């Protein structure tokens, strides 16, 4: 049984979440708390396996609570988020502070949306229970930015493709914030609902030397810029003469996802070939494994995040086992390895 503690300032929401989670025979709701202060006491007493956490609460919001809690009691946390602009921004902060995933509250058609949200949170609680967040117990300082002896060419003859899922918000941020603005163009698929990708891209843009934006159909892949796939579109790389462009279009789920890492990597293999570098990061499942194998067969250099530094060693493990990833690299060493490839 997965023991869950529900944290929300609304008694009605606590009851709804507790009842909805308890429908799954593998989940046991061991308690609930109206705010982080009560939650702290119940964590020590009840020893839950997973927390669900509302992030917009009085007295102490969920982000403050995570920053306080994770170094003392590193537990997998699934955030319950609003779809407002404020809700999107604070959700990104919560993921950076240690939360492993999030679900969104229904904003319309509440009856139907509530059932979808409850099914979503049951699945994510079970996934969260299998994640390892022990690294938050002893956080290491963020490494210094990678320096390069000489500036790279300003041509677009290189493409860096990155794929991630659960835990990827932190991992991508940790990599991109270390990179110099002279790198070739980067394309990224992070499994995330529509609406949140723009907020995430804006937040990364504030933190990084490179420019980061949510991709739009026809955007050019340029040095010093990272393009993040929109949360509801398949993103592919195409070549037009001497430049690379992204196409962002509606499509069916591939490997269970839209956007899909496999779709992006397959297109990079086809149109960039040996001029590409592929990186696959923490995440549940196997999205990206087949695409990375296609990239490697086309001559690209490839790497995957190692198990110790992953929140979930699913996607990197599958990419390595299939032969797609040449190397397993710790998260903090990925930027240095990337520069060595270049």
């Amino acid at each position: 049984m997965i023991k869950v503690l529900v944290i929300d300032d609304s008694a009605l929401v606590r009851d709804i979440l507790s009842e909805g989670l308890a429908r799954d025979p593998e989940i046991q709701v061991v308690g609930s708390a109206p705010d982080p202060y009560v939650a702290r006491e119940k964590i020590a007493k009840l020893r839950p396996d997973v927390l669900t956490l509302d992030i917009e609460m009085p007295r102490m919001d969920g982000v403050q609570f995570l920053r306080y809690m994770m170094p003392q009691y590193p537990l997998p946390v699934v955030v319950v988020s609003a779809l407002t602009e404020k809700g999107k921004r604070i959700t990104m902060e919560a993921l950076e502070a240690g939360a492993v995933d999030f679900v969104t509250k229904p904003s319309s058609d509440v009856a139907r949306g509530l059932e979808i949200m409850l099914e979503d949170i049951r699945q994510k609680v079970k996934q969260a229970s299998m994640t390892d967040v022990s690294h938050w117990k002893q956080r290491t300082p963020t490494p210094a930015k990678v320096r390069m002896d000489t500036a790279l060419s300003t041509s677009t003859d290189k493409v860096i493709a990155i794929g991630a899922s659960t835990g990827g918000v932190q991992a991508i941020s940790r990599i991109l914030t270390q990179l110099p603005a002279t790198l070739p163009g980067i394309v990224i698929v992070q499994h995330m609902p529509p609406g949140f990708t723009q907020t995430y891209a804006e937040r990364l843009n504030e933190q990084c030397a490179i420019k980061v934006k949510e991709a739009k159909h026809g955007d050019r892949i340029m040095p010093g810029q990272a393009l993040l796939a929109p949360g509801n579109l398949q993103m592919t790389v195409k070549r037009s003469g001497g430049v690379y462009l992204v196409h962002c279009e509606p499509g069916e789920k591939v490997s269970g996802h839209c956007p899909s890492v496999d779709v992006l990597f397959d297109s990079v293999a086809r149109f960039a070939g040996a001029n590409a570098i592929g990186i696959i990061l923490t995440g549940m499942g196997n999205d990206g494994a087949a695409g990375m194998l296609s990239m490697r067969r086309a001559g690209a250099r490839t790497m995957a995040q190692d198990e110790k530094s992953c929140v979930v060693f699913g996607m990197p493990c599958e990419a390595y086992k299939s032969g797609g990833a040449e190397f397993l690299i710790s998260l903090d060493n990925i930027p240095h390895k990337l520069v060595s490839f270049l």
Side-chain angles (χ1 to χ4, degrees):
M1 297 287 283
I2 301 164
K3 296 187 293 182
V4 179
L5 178 68
V6 174
I7 308 169
D8 198 291
D9 64 311
S10 165
L12 175 60
V13 172
R14 291 198 301 274
D15 288 344
I16 290 171
L17 290 177
S18 297
E19 189 275 331
L21 287 166
R23 291 183 204 167
D24 193 302
E26 298 177 31
I27 297 173
Q28 177 189 9
V29 179
V30 293
S32 63
D35 62 51
Y37 296 96
V38 176
R40 184 177 58 193
E41 297 172 4
K42 292 199 173 185
I43 288 168
K45 180 181 178 181
L46 301 172
R47 299 293 179 181
D49 301 309
V50 180
L51 309 181
T52 70
L53 177 66
D54 183 25
I55 47 175
E56 297 183 71
M57 293 184 291
R59 298 183 70 192
M60 181 190 291
D61 67 37
V63 174
Q64 290 176 296
F65 176 58
L66 282 165
R67 289 171 179 160
Y68 173 85
M69 180 197 77
M70 291 302 285
Q72 298 185 54
Y73 299 104
L75 290 168
V77 176
V78 177
V79 160
V80 181
S81 167
L83 274 168
T84 61
E85 287 307 311
K86 180 184 177 185
K88 294 173 188 175
R89 176 181 53 79
I90 200 170
T91 298
M92 294 303 107
E93 294 176 5
L95 292 169
E96 291 169 358
V100 298
D101 214 332
F102 68 97
V103 297
T104 53
K105 297 175 182 176
S107 57
S108 60
D109 191 4
V110 174
R112 180 172 177 273
L114 188 60
E115 285 305 312
I116 293 171
M117 185 198 80
L118 290 175
E119 174 61 27
D120 195 20
I121 199 168
R122 285 192 290 267
Q123 293 302 315
K124 290 187 175 181
V125 160
K126 289 195 283 189
Q127 291 176 2
S129 71
M130 296 182 281
T131 64
D132 180 7
V133 293
S134 60
H135 60 282
W136 285 92
K137 188 75 173 177
Q138 296 178 336
R139 289 306 305 271
T140 56
T142 301
K145 291 182 179 180
V146 176
R147 295 184 177 274
M148 301 185 69
D149 295 332
T150 57
L152 295 173
S153 167
T154 56
S155 70
T156 56
D157 62 348
K158 292 281 187 184
V159 175
I160 300 165
I162 301 174
S165 188
T166 308
V169 167
Q170 301 160 24
I172 291 169
S173 174
R174 202 163 174 90
I175 292 170
L176 294 192
T177 52
Q178 295 178 57
L179 298 178
T182 47
L183 283 187
I186 302 171
V187 286
I188 304 169
V189 165
Q190 161 68 48
H191 296 158
M192 186 177 286
F196 286 87
T197 42
Q198 181 175 343
T199 305
Y200 180 43
E202 290 170 353
R203 185 161 183 81
L204 284 171
N205 191 56
E206 294 170 359
Q207 300 169 339
C208 300
I210 63 174
K211 179 181 178 181
V212 185
K213 67 186 289 285
E214 184 184 57
K216 289 184 171 50
H217 186 76
D219 276 349
R220 181 178 170 181
I221 301 170
M222 298 186 295
Q225 177 175 269
L227 299 174
L228 180 70
N232 59 343
L233 300 175
Q234 295 289 11
M235 184 169 77
T236 55
V237 170
K238 307 287 185 184
R239 185 154 195 149
S240 177
V243 302
Y244 294 111
L245 308 173
V246 293
H247 285 201
C248 300
E249 300 168 305
E252 297 296 318
K253 289 183 177 181
V254 175
S255 302
H257 298 280
C258 180
S260 163
V261 183
D262 273 328
V263 169
L264 175 65
F265 283 6
D266 279 336
S267 70
V268 172
R270 180 179 176 188
F271 289 98
N275 290 322
I277 298 168
I279 304 170
I280 197 157
L281 303 173
T282 173
M284 186 80 67
N286 64 356
D287 187 24
M292 180 162 274
L293 183 57
S294 296
M295 285 183 65
R296 190 173 182 189
R297 286 172 172 168
R301 305 305 304 270
T302 59
M303 67 181 109
Q305 186 179 350
D306 70 1
E307 183 173 9
K308 186 176 181 180
S309 64
C310 277
V311 172
V312 182
F313 189 51
M315 287 162 51
C317 179
E318 293 300 320
Y320 189 69
K321 285 197 305 184
S322 70
E326 293 179 74
F327 304 98
L328 286 176
I329 307 288
S330 70
L331 179 61
D332 287 339
N333 287 332
I334 286 175
H336 299 274
K337 192 69 173 177
L338 173 59
V339 170
S340 77
F341 284 164
L342 295 167

